[in-house]
Amino acid sequence: MDLIICVLGLLALIVEGIRCQGVYASPTVRIIHSGHACNVEEERHTERVYTIREGETLELTCLVTGHPRPQIRWTKTAGSVSDRFQDSSVFNETLHIAKIQRTQGGRYYCKAENGLGSPAIKSIRVDVYYLDDPVVTVHQSIGEAKEQFYYERTVFLRCVANSNPPVRYSWHRGREVLTQGSDKGVEIYEPFFTQGETKILKLKNLRPQDYANYSCIASVRNVCGIPDRSVIFRLTNKTASPSIKLLVEDPIVVNPGQTVSLVCITTGGEPTPTLTWVSSNESLPQRSVVKGGTLTLPAISSDEAGVYSCVASNNVGNPAKKSTTIVVRALKKGRFWITPDPYHNDDNIQIGREVKISCQVEATPPEELTFSWLKNGRALRSSERMVITQTDPDISPGTTNLDIIDLKFTDFGTYTCVAALKGGGIPEISIDVNISSTTVPPLFFSFLVPPNLTVPRGKSPLVAREGDTVELECLVSGKPKPIILWSRADKEAPMPDGSMQMESYDGVLRIVNVSREMTGSYRCQTSQFNGFNVKPREAVVELIVQYPPTVEPVYMEMRQGLGRPVVMTCRVLRAHPSRVLRFEWLLSNRLLHAGAFDAQRDETEYTIRSLNRDGWGEYTCNVINEAGAGKCTFQVTGKAYPPEFYYDTYSPLWQNRPRLYSFKLQWTQMNPNAVDRIVAYRLGIRQMGLERWWEQEIPVDGTINKGELMTHNLTQLIKPESYEVRLTPITRFGEGDSTIRIVTYSAPINPHLREFHCSFEEEPICMFTQDKNDDFDWTRHSAATRDTKYTPNTGPSGDRSGSKQGFYMYIETSRPRKEGDQARLVSPFFNVAPKNPYGITNPPAYCFGFFYHMYGKHIGTLNAFLKQKGQTTSEGPVWSLSGNQGDRWKQAKVSIHPTASFQVVLEGIRGPGIEGDIAIDDVMLEEGECRDPPPNLSKAPSTSSHIWLLCVTLVMTLLEGQR
């Protein structure tokens, strides 16, 4: 009955295979891990969690299927915020992060896409485990009850450690373990608002025995092999929070270039506090020197002024902090302005009226600023007609005024405002204002002319080409000439230097390398500084930036066969000016066609009705306006597209000689009908690490269809070398694009399966590995090096040959192991080596054998499993034995029939006690069925199982044939 069902299933698969056209397939993806994982769990909703210790190497590999070969991209999200690790995504099958840090935990996504169907995406959450050293902080509370001789002193010891997973705390006083209720004077609790983050030890009404060494031990229960961490705090009757004193003034006023030393000393605190210096400028100056409690700032500058704080901490109470401010003297930005008589609505200054000259300077510190006035070089004192005042610092800091009442001819001259700092050491700033007369029509004299702004003829609108240097100009008149402020008039946008406003002393705004974004209106405006304090004058200059047409495509490759039409289209996206456009089509600088651009269309076309050999080459379309030309480039070629290597070949590698192997190379051709027929492929191959290529041609008969799978066998490949393979299609045009892949020899590890033997004498243990998802590991051991404290009445006294020097593998079942704990040893991958390189017609047989030693009254179970590549669920053991088998080595053999690359797994399970050590030695794997296998307790496969195994093999062979 089973055979009938199998045959019916085979017929259905054959019919389905006939329907299948080609091998193109959308991608699938699976994430596997290697490296130093602590654990990999499958949580609810099929979320995979990969746990790793901080500082270890994270290595995740994205296994993909699909044709064409999918492109792989790794990305990461942390919480709800997406961040690209290493500033970019990783386009590679393997994600490798050495010395992983806690901030690199999160969800990692592998995305595979090849243009067919939807992208395949899988994710795995990486949980980074760590444990920092714990920190103990101490707080004291002191209370007195009035009218009673009562005094209470309570101490709180808080222990905190950063960790993942959550930490567990334990407290010790000396060697005594403290627990809640073990001492009436001790209370241990976790604050509700910091549940699980800290543990507080409360010592109520201190007693003499409470003065001791207290240890806080932080533990994450040895997950990922992270050891416990501890800290000790010594509590004495002198324990106190820190106090400090600064031996400097506040503030400290200095001149630039001076060396400043700040001295901080501790005046109390037990344990001795640690002193640190911090600055309000985010960090201390680079040239600063800290030695003990002294901070030295050599050759201080204005940028280094600010608040400097000394902080003392000893984890008792709150840190102590003292600060001082360093002020660096400076004078800068001296300016003046002239205000006409405020009692007359007139911008002119006239004889007999009042005039005010104002002078402003930025000073540090402002309270040291002093002003003096000179007239023609002589000191000027305040009088009834010459009133000198200093403006309120809160209203207009750093400003002095000279009011001239009832202006007379004798007041003409040069007035000088001199700014200085009281402490000296800083150069003075002098500002000269020259008042002179000019004759005008009778009735009054005008010696100061208010400002006026005009735009020179022909300077607005100003037309420029992108990339030019332009000068926007406003003519400014007046005496004295004010500073001109330039800004954008048409929109809120920064000026070319990035600021919102630019200053000009000659009325000219110079812009280098002008761009199209700078087109618009620019406002020039008078400033009150160095001129009249009157209503600002302004003018507007228009700037028009012309630029060549922006076109698409900038570059396009067009592949076409001989005799077929080719249509090229060049599209204009934007241009200024856009009204006068013309085009020209060229082939290798030879003019083909030219004309005026149609105003109703934004594109121009050129058509080749029938492509010939002379038509191959580079075509250029130039779209031209007054500012230049935009260029579309078309590369017309008969070059074939690259082949697409097929990576999903079933069992592509096989062995034909002991030192050689062969590889089945398969591929499809991308867009085979886009160009002329492919007549051959040029195959190049070279051994990795060598420079020489070996080449041969593979002829192609007939037309290649899209999705058609082609095959070529690579033979005489040397084990275990890898090879670089290059495949290039050839048409009448010549060579097309090449594709390269690497062929890697992967298994078996030993020269040949019939020769595989492992006695565990060398440290690499024949490429066996410990399973990362079991409870404990197998141990490599020899009787000569065994600990004298080993458990008696269990385990071997030598290796399988009886040698005391020989090595074997065993499971140590002493504490902390418990009943049911599992240890698994995994072999390297072995490839199935079919005699027919095109498929496995019959499952090959292998004999798997090993020697075992199972002696002791608490012996558990020893299992052997067959694990095939691509297998997601584990089947039952192929061999199993339990219980005490006596103090001697015995041999086990079992025949296995793998249908794909496989591994063998040896599993030891701990029994009910410590006298349960299980040992193995001399593992071997041979081709063919086992001869006279020793008896064991595992169940032999039924006839039905053999039928189904044969059926599955036939199905796989047929499917491979359909490919």
Side-chain angles (χ1 to χ4, degrees), residues 758 760 762-770 780 809 825:
C758 183
F760 306 111
E762 302 295 333
E763 184 57 44
I765 58 173
C766 313
M767 305 302 289
F768 275 83
T769 57
Q770 307 281 356
R780 179 173 171 267
M809 302 294 289
L825 195 65

Side-chain angles (χ1 to χ4, degrees), residues 370-656:
T370 63
F371 285 107
S372 60
W373 285 89
L374 305 176
K375 179 183 178 183
N376 297 327
R378 294 184 178 181
L380 187 64
R381 295 186 178 183
S382 183
S383 64
E384 291 183 0
R385 287 191 58 254
M386 298 285 185
V387 181
I388 299 174
T389 59
Q390 190 157 342
T391 307
D392 186 343
D394 295 332
I395 299 174
S396 181
T399 304
T400 182
N401 302 311
L402 172 61
D403 281 285
I404 305 175
I405 311 298
D406 189 16
L407 187 67
K408 299 181 183 300
F409 289 109
T410 56
D411 296 328
F412 292 171
T414 300
Y415 291 83
T416 304
C417 167
V418 180
L421 293 179
K422 293 177 183 177
I426 302 298
E428 297 175 339
I429 290 181
S430 298
I431 303 169
D432 292 334
V433 181
N434 190 32
I435 297 180
S436 60
S437 64
T438 302
T439 304
V440 294
L443 302 179
F444 67 89
F445 288 93
S446 174
F447 55 89
L448 295 171
V449 182
N452 189 35
L453 276 181
T454 58
V455 178
R457 186 184 299 273
K459 290 293 187 177
S460 182
L462 183 64
V463 180
R465 293 189 178 182
E466 196 167 38
D468 289 349
T469 296
V470 298
E471 290 185 347
L472 307 186
E473 187 176 354
C474 279
L475 292 178
V476 56
S477 60
K479 190 174 183 181
K481 282 187 178 181
I483 297 173
I484 301 302
L485 303 178
W486 285 92
S487 60
R488 292 296 293 261
D490 53 346
K491 56 184 176 181
E492 280 288 328
M495 296 294 286
D497 67 349
S499 64
M500 298 303 293
Q501 200 172 61
M502 294 176 65
E503 292 184 356
S504 170
Y505 289 87
D506 58 0
V508 176
L509 174 64
R510 192 168 188 265
I511 304 176
V512 179
N513 192 22
V514 68
S515 64
R516 63 191 68 178
E517 293 81 11
M518 296 177 186
T519 296
S521 302
Y522 290 80
R523 179 189 297 110
C524 58
Q525 179 178 329
T526 59
S527 165
Q528 70 169 8
F529 300 118
N530 296 6
F532 270 70
N533 183 19
V534 294
K535 182 180 179 180
R537 273 57 167 171
E538 65 178 46
V540 174
V541 178
E542 294 289 337
L543 174 63
I544 299 173
V545 180
Q546 295 182 342
Y547 53 89
T550 302
V551 297
E552 68 173 10
V554 175
Y555 177 85
M556 176 182 286
E557 185 180 63
M558 305 187 74
R559 306 194 187 210
Q560 190 59 278
L562 294 175
R564 301 178 189 175
V566 179
V567 179
M568 292 164 278
T569 303
C570 184
R571 182 174 295 104
V572 178
L573 301 178
R574 52 193 168 273
H576 190 84
S578 59
R579 62 186 182 278
V580 183
L581 292 177
R582 56 189 179 89
F583 66 86
E584 57 184 24
W585 286 90
L586 302 97
L587 172 59
S588 302
N589 298 322
R590 178 169 58 89
L591 183 65
L592 302 174
H593 179 53
F597 210 89
D598 188 349
Q600 304 300 320
R601 301 183 62 192
D602 60 356
E603 62 185 30
T604 176
E605 287 186 354
Y606 184 77
T607 301
I608 304 173
R609 290 186 175 84
S610 179
L611 182 65
N612 55 32
R613 292 182 179 274
D614 295 333
W616 284 325
E618 184 177 277
Y619 290 77
T620 302
C621 174
N622 294 322
V623 181
I624 307 161
N625 69 357
E626 297 174 19
K631 183 168 70 173
C632 294
T633 301
F634 301 88
Q635 185 69 43
V636 178
T637 176
K639 183 190 296 187
Y641 284 96
E644 305 160 318
F645 280 119
Y646 187 64
Y647 286 82
D648 298 335
T649 303
Y650 177 75
S651 190
L653 187 147
W654 75 94
Q655 302 172 116
N656 45 14

Side-chain angles (χ1 to χ4, degrees), residues 679-753:
V679 297
Y681 284 94
R682 178 166 289 113
L683 173 70
I685 184 170
R686 70 170 179 178
Q687 185 177 319
M688 297 296 289
L690 302 181
E691 294 185 2
R692 183 174 181 181
W693 287 86
W694 297 91
E695 291 189 339
Q696 70 175 96
E697 281 199 4
I698 304 172
V700 175
D701 297 327
T703 302
I704 299 174
N705 297 318
K706 185 175 179 62
E708 181 180 344
L709 191 63
M710 289 161 281
T711 302
H712 180 80
N713 292 327
L714 304 176
T715 59
Q716 306 297 312
L717 305 180
I718 301 172
K719 301 178 187 176
E721 301 297 334
S722 297
Y723 292 84
E724 186 175 5
V725 179
R726 181 179 62 207
L727 197 61
T728 308
I730 301 173
T731 64
R732 286 189 294 174
F733 173 84
E735 290 190 355
D737 290 337
S738 300
T739 299
I740 291 178
R741 71 163 293 178
I742 304 299
V743 170
T744 303
Y745 181 73
S746 56
I749 302 300
N750 290 63
H752 198 271
L753 286 184

